[in-house]
Amino acid sequence: MEDWRVDIAAAIGRGTTDAQACHPLRCAPTLVKQRAMYGIPDVFRGIVWQKLSGADAMRQSHPSRYAQYCRMSASADGRIKRDLARTMPRNEFFSERGRGGQVLLFNVAHAYAAYDDEVGYSQGMNFLCAILLLHMRQEHAFWVLVCQLVTIMNHLACQLAVELFKLDRLILSCTPSLHQHFAEQGFDVTTFTSEWLLTLFAYSFPLNFTYRVWDVFFIKGFTYILQVAIAIIRQFEGDLLALSFEEIVFLLRDIPSRLHREPKLADAVSLLFLLLLP
């Protein structure tokens, strides 16, 4: 935290470390990216994500557009409402039916469906909206969705099979013995990792883990999501090599829960993230 404050203060030519004065939007983009690669403090995360995605500039260029989209009709409203109670139900912010975070979640998803009636509301969008709303106001979340996240989702809607094939090739390249073991067991790892990719690890992984992934994703793009998937699989390579088909299925399904239960394990996977950085 102190490094962020000192470096940002230096970038804007101020001799202060006050959090408000050291607003990341005032500092050099290169400095922000360098710092973000190694983790963004919670107090700055929402602001930096907006900066890195271009959402801040887009929002300022269209100051009343979000309110207009909120007032428009959208054919996806029924599907959005059905997903509200399924989105992070254990998180206090989204736990109260028809109130609090659920209202904001509906607003953002509805506004996007009105903004882009061709795409509307797609699988996994509720979890992306939820992660954003935990860090920023609803209008800001909408513009981050518009500027970066939905572009990725639209790509996956058409090219998920291609990205899963890339992941399979990465497994072959990085862990050939594990790739061979999967083949011998008749196991297709891509069927169990599509959920990871579609929600950018937002569906069931620990929030702090997901935040850390997104910090770098906003800089490196979707390629980094594939790299994180490989890092997770490599962390469990020793276990997976000794398992049968059914046991492999159970372990992969249990990985998010294990990261919840074992913070040290999540830390170990996070250390692998650093190896992915240039």
Side-chain angles (χ1 to χ4, degrees), residues 13 16 56 59 63 84-85 105-106 132 140 150-151 153 159 165-166 180 191 198 201 209 219 223 243 253 268:
T16 178
D56 182 67
R59 177 178 55 82
L84 293 178
L105 183 60
F106 174 82
L132 294 174
H140 299 184
V150 172
T151 301
M153 295 193 69
Q159 300 292 326
F165 177 77
K166 290 180 184 178
Q180 180 179 349
T191 61
L198 283 170
F201 297 99
F209 180 94
I219 300 168
T223 297
L243 300 180
R253 284 178 173 169

Side-chain angles (χ1 to χ4, degrees), residues 4-39:
W4 268 82
R5 290 176 175 173
V6 170
D7 285 356
I8 292 173
I12 62 175
R14 292 170 179 254
T16 178
T17 58
D18 179 74
Q20 186 65 31
C22 300
H23 197 296
L25 292 179
R26 298 181 184 176
C27 73
T30 300
L31 179 63
V32 172
K33 288 183 179 181
Q34 289 172 348
R35 281 287 173 202
M37 294 286 275
Y38 296 91

Side-chain angles (χ1 to χ4, degrees), residues 127-197:
F127 291 99
L128 304 185
C129 292
I131 292 291
L132 294 174
L133 286 169
L134 290 171
H135 291 90
M136 62 192 74
R137 289 182 288 179
Q138 58 179 306
E139 181 180 2
H140 299 184
F142 167 79
W143 286 114
V144 175
L145 201 64
V146 167
C147 289
Q148 185 155 7
L149 296 182
V150 172
T151 301
I152 298 298
M153 295 193 69
N154 292 346
H155 168 73
L156 290 176
C158 301
Q159 300 292 326
L160 179 60
V162 173
E163 296 298 341
L164 290 172
F165 177 77
K166 290 180 184 178
L167 179 60
D168 180 75
R169 296 299 91 183
L170 283 171
I171 295 172
L172 176 60
S173 174
C174 298
T175 60
S177 58
L178 183 59
H179 189 276
Q180 180 179 349
H181 180 64
F182 283 162
E184 291 171 351
Q185 295 297 320
F187 178 77
D188 182 1
V189 69
T190 62
T191 61
F192 288 86
T193 53
S194 58
E195 181 184 277
W196 299 359
L197 307 190

Side-chain angles (χ1 to χ4, degrees), residues 19 35 40 42 58 68 125 139 149 160 175 208 212 232:
R35 281 287 173 202
I40 304 171
D42 285 342
M58 183 71 79
Q68 293 173 8
M125 190 180 292
E139 181 180 2
L149 296 182
L160 179 60
T175 60
N208 286 335
R212 180 68 188 87
I232 293 171

Side-chain angles (χ1 to χ4, degrees), residues 55-77:
D56 182 67
M58 183 71 79
R59 177 178 55 82
Q60 293 184 46
S61 298
H62 304 87
S64 61
R65 196 68 59 82
Y66 175 69
Q68 293 173 8
Y69 291 132
C70 285
R71 291 192 295 268
M72 294 170 62
S73 61
S75 60
D77 282 357

